[in-house]
Amino acid sequence: MTAPVGIMAALPQEVGDFASRIQSPTVTKIARRHYTQGVFGTPGGADATPVVVCVARVGKVAAASTATTLIQKFGVKTILFVGLAGGVDTAQAVRVGDIVIASHVAQHDLNASPIFPKHEIPLLGITEIPTDADWSAKLTQAAQDGIAGSTAQVHTGLILSGDQFINSASAQQALQTQWPTALAVEMEGAAVGQVCYEHGIPFAIARTISDRADDQANHDFPTFLETVAAPRANALLRALFP
Ligand code: ADE
């Protein structure tokens, strides 16, 4: 039996109707989360892709816990994370509605200095964790297919994670100063990245930009979440799993 692909999002809207499209689903409740397991394509057929989807809830601990369960209990062969993010690139080329595919992830709120260098993951000796090239290429293609006909663009680059919703020009500026190559900020990706790195499991992340992590973000994010997040997730995941 082929190992399943794990699909994660932080909030239900961010994974759209994916769980309800899974064939022969079984739902397992572990640690207050529902893991829906099944296949895309014809069950038992050559085109069948086994998947497990879970809404992790928000933040790095929730994401790390869910990723660990996907790996250890469900034996996933990869983890794909989909959802929203705030744009933080200094060039402001990353606009609301665009999609960012992570090339690397880092925890912007991790700071064990002076014991370890600022932002470095203690005892792993790395700061930025690379995503899987093949799965990122698949997500890029699915993102491009999903936004075809719109003015949105797909970008690839560094995504930052931290246990904070970034919602002020000064906080956005501080991230830009410390991470000049970062394109987007969210609250889970680098936690999934660390768990996958430690287990030797490939992972990839696609984030639609819902806000610019500035003073408007408190308004832009919930509006985007209610109106655009689910259709976007559906377009991306339908392109990935037709
Ligand atoms: N996810 C979407 N927008 C975000 C922001 N501004 N900060 C953190 N996570 C986000």
Side-chain angles (χ1 to χ4, degrees), residues 139-214:
L139 280 185
T140 301
Q141 186 59 56
Q144 278 163 350
D145 294 348
I147 59 168
S150 81
T151 56
Q153 293 188 318
V154 181
H155 311 264
T156 301
L158 174 64
I159 294 184
L160 303 175
S161 308
D163 283 318
Q164 293 153 23
F165 184 74
I166 305 296
N167 59 356
S168 71
S170 58
Q172 189 222 48
Q173 191 78 56
L175 285 183
Q176 290 176 341
T177 303
Q178 292 192 54
W179 304 88
T181 62
L183 299 187
V185 64
E186 35 84 314
M187 300 178 69
E188 297 84 19
V192 173
Q194 182 174 339
V195 170
C196 288
Y197 179 85
E198 290 171 352
H199 284 83
I201 297 281
F203 75 102
I205 297 177
R207 294 282 191 172
T208 298
I209 300 302
S210 54
D211 60 89
R212 283 288 310 174
D214 55 12

Side-chain angles (χ1 to χ4, degrees), residues 67-76 199:
T68 303
T69 300
L70 282 170
I71 294 167
Q72 295 197 344
K73 297 249 187 221
F74 293 93
V76 297
H199 284 83

Side-chain angles (χ1 to χ4, degrees), residues 30-86:
I30 300 171
R32 303 184 183 216
R33 292 176 182 82
H34 294 91
Y35 294 80
T36 305
Q37 186 167 25
V39 294
F40 273 90
T42 317
D47 62 336
T49 304
V51 295
V52 190
V53 61
C54 185
V55 172
R57 300 199 298 271
V58 175
K60 292 195 299 179
V61 173
S65 170
T66 306
T68 303
T69 300
L70 282 170
I71 294 167
Q72 295 197 344
K73 297 249 187 221
F74 293 93
V76 297
K77 65 177 177 184
T78 189
I79 293 182
L80 308 180
F81 199 108
V82 295
L84 306 181

Side-chain angles (χ1 to χ4, degrees), residues 100-177:
V100 176
I101 308 296
S103 60
H104 294 74
V105 290
Q107 298 176 52
H108 68 78
D109 59 352
L110 180 52
N111 184 1
S113 67
I115 317 302
F116 297 94
K118 189 176 182 185
H119 298 136
E120 184 177 294
I121 303 171
L123 303 179
L124 276 194
I126 51 170
T127 299
E128 296 183 9
I129 299 181
T131 56
D132 182 71
D134 290 345
W135 281 102
S136 295
K138 286 181 189 156
L139 280 185
T140 301
Q141 186 59 56
Q144 278 163 350
D145 294 348
I147 59 168
S150 81
T151 56
Q153 293 188 318
V154 181
H155 311 264
T156 301
L158 174 64
I159 294 184
L160 303 175
S161 308
D163 283 318
Q164 293 153 23
F165 184 74
I166 305 296
N167 59 356
S168 71
S170 58
Q172 189 222 48
Q173 191 78 56
L175 285 183
Q176 290 176 341
T177 303

